[in-house]
Amino acid sequence: MLLRLDFSSQLPIYRQIRDQIVVGIASGELAPGEKLPAIRALAEQSGVNMMTVSKAYTLLKQEGLITTDRRGGTVVAGSPESGELGAHSLEGLRLIAAEARLSGLSEEDFLLLCREFYCEGGGET
Amino acid sequence: MLLRLDFSSQLPIYRQIRDQIVVGIASGELAPGEKLPAIRALAEQSGVNMMTVSKAYTLLKQEGLITTDRRGGTVVAGSPESGELGAHSLEGLRLIAAEARLSGLSEEDFLLLCREFYCEGGGET
Amino acid sequence: MLLRLDFSSQLPIYRQIRDQIVVGIASGELAPGEKLPAIRALAEQSGVNMMTVSKAYTLLKQEGLITTDRRGGTVVAGSPESGELGAHSLEGLRLIAAEARLSGLSEEDFLLLCREFYCEGGGET
Amino acid sequence: MLLRLDFSSQLPIYRQIRDQIVVGIASGELAPGEKLPAIRALAEQSGVNMMTVSKAYTLLKQEGLITTDRRGGTVVAGSPESGELGAHSLEGLRLIAAEARLSGLSEEDFLLLCREFYCEGGGET
DNA sequence: GTGGTCTAGACCACA
DNA sequence: GTGGTCTAGACCACG
């Protein structure tokens, strides 16, 4: 688990961490049951405060993507599989589609991009 | 131009304004050359501070989506047509695709959604 | 909003704050739309760090009991009304009922207590 | 005595063990005088550390719900029958009642639930 | 060893 | 003014 953090981004660090773990899980890089790095370890290795990583983990726990095993450690949970995107993500997608259109990206190219990201890392290329 | 603002959203209000104008332009609801509401008017009608609207307009100007005309009015510019998505939007799309996958949304359904948002409001322009 | 905090309790402070606000809302002491004290104000007045109060507010936001209005301040939200108790509360209730029984409390007395707490502060005595 | 432990719960494991034994005693599943499993046995069968089970037993001894008999075994004691709930449980009940109310549960339904849990497992003892 | 909590300060974005 | 974020350290509970 290697994090690429942008300390000058508007997106809070804990959010960047959360996002990259989400992508990691979706891509299969982090398999269900796999142990995540200890909060302190990830913090040190990333040059970030412990509490920042903790916040990211807390978020992911609330989303049901990871759980902390009381016997020590944090592990990837089996996916919740709600079957639909959250309202925020939906709005985000609508906006990005609009931006794609405005930037002159053709429908074809846009859908290719979407497909590429969806399939990224996950078997059925 | 009717704004739907959520004052309890995490997204800053000026960002919501900017986003909705972007979507409005992409959908054709706001045509190139069309005049945007005056800052004061939009602020009053939406119940927000003028500074907030001003910030949104400034953003849009920097993106080249709107311009100030000679007499001080604000109009929709012709699209910049860069031909590609910005880095932020790209990362956003990657994240949303990951979330779609984790929520159990099939590739088919996801692409349908993407297409729907891309086509939303306009023909095939 | 006056908080009674037990700094030697096993229950984390932010949880005590959250719990008391929940009780306050349920009892009607805090009405929907009412403004909650500013994080810093509540922190100072309670002799607690700002982040501790912030954590409590964050929890309540996630539960949908309060929202933060971007124009400044945190307000009580209209109740979500899920119609059923969460799994945790359910287990908690089962345990307390068992303890009541073991302590020799009669069914009658126990139900009277439950009723009293349910009605506490809220109109239909 | 079969324990259902949730290693990803916020509640410490020793607390889960203690709670389930309390419920077991209250329901009559564990009768006064009955012998509890040896610490080592319960620990192995449940996949937890002996220290954890020991902690739970210690707690129960302090509460007077179980006692160590002459030969080192652990047996269920006659109930203490204090006649009232502890302060913690009382606060817990008040909170749960508030949550019930906020979740839209009617007084009737809530009291039905309380009664069901109180009566659970035993007659009217 | 792990995660959880808390403090006392700081800086920033938003409106 | 508000909330949001972050740091550098500390202490504790759990297993």
Side-chain angles (χ1 to χ4, degrees):
Chain A
M1 199 67 228
L2 252 170
L3 298 179
R4 294 180 307 99
L5 301 179
D6 176 2
F7 294 102
S8 54
S9 166
Q10 291 200 271
L11 207 62
I13 299 178
Y14 77 88
R15 212 21 179 87
Q16 297 181 42
I17 298 177
R18 176 263 179 196
D19 286 354
Q20 287 180 37
I21 293 180
V22 167
V23 171
I25 295 177
S27 77
E29 191 193 335
L30 290 169
E34 190 169 340
K35 197 169 173 309
L36 287 173
I39 288 186
R40 282 162 179 79
L42 191 51
E44 200 168 339
Q45 148 194 346
S46 309
V48 165
N49 188 278
M50 205 196 62
M51 289 209 36
T52 306
V53 178
S54 174
K55 207 163 180 177
Y57 277 23
T58 300
L59 243 182
L60 288 160
K61 263 172 247 165
Q62 283 161 352
E63 298 181 86
L65 288 171
I66 68 177
T67 61
T68 71
D69 188 312
R70 292 204 73 93
R71 288 166 302 188
T74 309
V75 299
V76 178
S79 321
E81 301 268 341
S82 76
E84 50 180 24
L85 271 175
H88 282 192
S89 303
L90 223 52
E91 269 317 301
L93 186 54
R94 167 176 282 124
L95 175 66
I96 290 173
E99 289 178 335
R101 200 187 172 104
L102 284 179
S103 71
L105 206 64
S106 74
E107 182 183 337
E108 231 177 333
D109 288 348
F110 177 61
L111 289 180
L112 237 70
L113 201 60
C114 293
R115 177 180 208 153
E116 185 188 322
F117 282 152
Y118 184 93
C119 295
E120 207 160 64
E124 64 264 359
T125 307
Chain B
M1 198 67 229
L2 249 171
L3 296 179
R4 294 179 303 99
L5 299 180
D6 177 2
F7 295 118
S8 54
S9 166
Q10 292 199 270
L11 214 58
I13 297 177
Y14 78 91
R15 244 321 215 115
Q16 295 181 44
I17 298 177
R18 176 263 178 194
D19 288 355
Q20 286 180 36
I21 293 180
V22 167
V23 171
I25 297 178
S27 75
E29 192 193 334
L30 290 170
E34 188 168 342
K35 196 166 175 309
L36 285 175
I39 290 183
R40 158 168 271 120
L42 192 50
E44 273 173 15
Q45 148 193 348
S46 310
V48 301
N49 197 296
M50 278 177 50
M51 252 184 50
T52 308
V53 179
S54 168
K55 214 165 186 169
Y57 277 23
T58 302
L59 243 181
L60 289 160
K61 273 174 217 158
Q62 283 168 354
E63 298 179 273
L65 287 168
I66 65 176
T67 56
T68 318
D69 78 4
R70 283 153 212 79
R71 298 183 313 279
T74 311
V75 300
V76 178
S79 319
E81 301 269 341
S82 73
E84 54 180 17
L85 273 172
H88 281 191
S89 302
L90 222 52
E91 270 315 302
L93 186 53
R94 166 177 281 123
L95 177 65
I96 290 173
E99 289 176 333
R101 200 190 173 96
L102 284 178
S103 71
L105 207 66
S106 73
E107 181 183 338
E108 238 176 326
D109 288 347
F110 176 62
L111 290 179
L112 237 73
L113 202 61
C114 293
R115 176 180 212 151
E116 186 186 321
F117 282 151
Y118 185 93
C119 295
E120 205 161 66
E124 232 77 313
T125 309
Chain C
M1 199 68 228
L2 252 171
L3 297 178
R4 295 179 307 97
L5 301 179
D6 176 2
F7 294 102
S8 54
S9 166
Q10 291 200 272
L11 207 62
I13 299 177
Y14 77 90
R15 212 20 179 87
Q16 296 181 42
I17 298 176
R18 177 262 178 197
D19 287 353
Q20 287 180 36
I21 292 180
V22 167
V23 171
I25 296 176
S27 77
E29 190 193 335
L30 290 168
E34 190 168 340
K35 197 167 173 310
L36 287 173
I39 288 186
R40 282 163 179 77
L42 191 51
E44 200 169 338
Q45 148 194 347
S46 309
V48 164
N49 188 279
M50 204 195 64
M51 290 210 36
T52 306
V53 179
S54 173
K55 208 164 179 175
Y57 277 24
T58 300
L59 243 182
L60 288 160
K61 263 171 248 165
Q62 283 161 353
E63 298 181 85
L65 287 171
I66 67 177
T67 61
T68 72
D69 188 309
R70 293 204 72 95
R71 289 163 304 186
T74 310
V75 299
V76 178
S79 320
E81 301 269 338
S82 76
E84 50 180 25
L85 272 174
H88 282 190
S89 303
L90 223 53
E91 270 316 301
L93 186 54
R94 168 176 282 123
L95 176 65
I96 290 172
E99 288 177 336
R101 201 187 171 103
L102 284 178
S103 71
L105 207 63
S106 74
E107 182 183 338
E108 233 177 333
D109 288 348
F110 176 61
L111 290 180
L112 236 72
L113 201 60
C114 292
R115 178 179 208 154
E116 186 188 321
F117 282 153
Y118 184 94
C119 294
E120 208 161 65
E124 64 264 1
T125 307
Chain D
M1 199 66 230
L2 249 173
L3 297 178
R4 294 179 303 100
L5 300 180
D6 177 2
F7 295 118
S8 54
S9 166
Q10 292 199 268
L11 213 59
I13 296 177
Y14 79 90
R15 244 321 215 113
Q16 295 182 45
I17 297 177
R18 176 263 178 195
D19 288 354
Q20 286 180 36
I21 292 180
V22 167
V23 171
I25 296 177
S27 76
E29 193 194 335
L30 290 170
E34 189 168 342
K35 197 164 174 311
L36 286 174
I39 289 183
R40 159 168 269 118
L42 192 50
E44 275 174 13
Q45 148 194 346
S46 310
V48 301
N49 197 296
M50 278 176 50
M51 253 184 49
T52 307
V53 179
S54 169
K55 214 163 184 171
Y57 276 24
T58 302
L59 243 181
L60 288 160
K61 272 174 218 161
Q62 284 167 354
E63 296 179 274
L65 287 169
I66 66 175
T67 57
T68 319
D69 77 5
R70 284 152 210 81
R71 298 183 315 279
T74 311
V75 299
V76 177
S79 318
E81 302 269 341
S82 74
E84 53 180 18
L85 273 172
H88 280 190
S89 303
L90 222 51
E91 269 316 301
L93 186 54
R94 166 177 282 123
L95 177 64
I96 290 172
E99 289 176 335
R101 199 189 173 95
L102 285 177
S103 70
L105 207 64
S106 74
E107 182 184 338
E108 238 176 327
D109 288 348
F110 177 61
L111 290 180
L112 237 73
L113 203 61
C114 293
R115 178 181 211 149
E116 186 187 321
F117 282 152
Y118 184 93
C119 296
E120 205 162 65
E124 233 76 314
T125 307

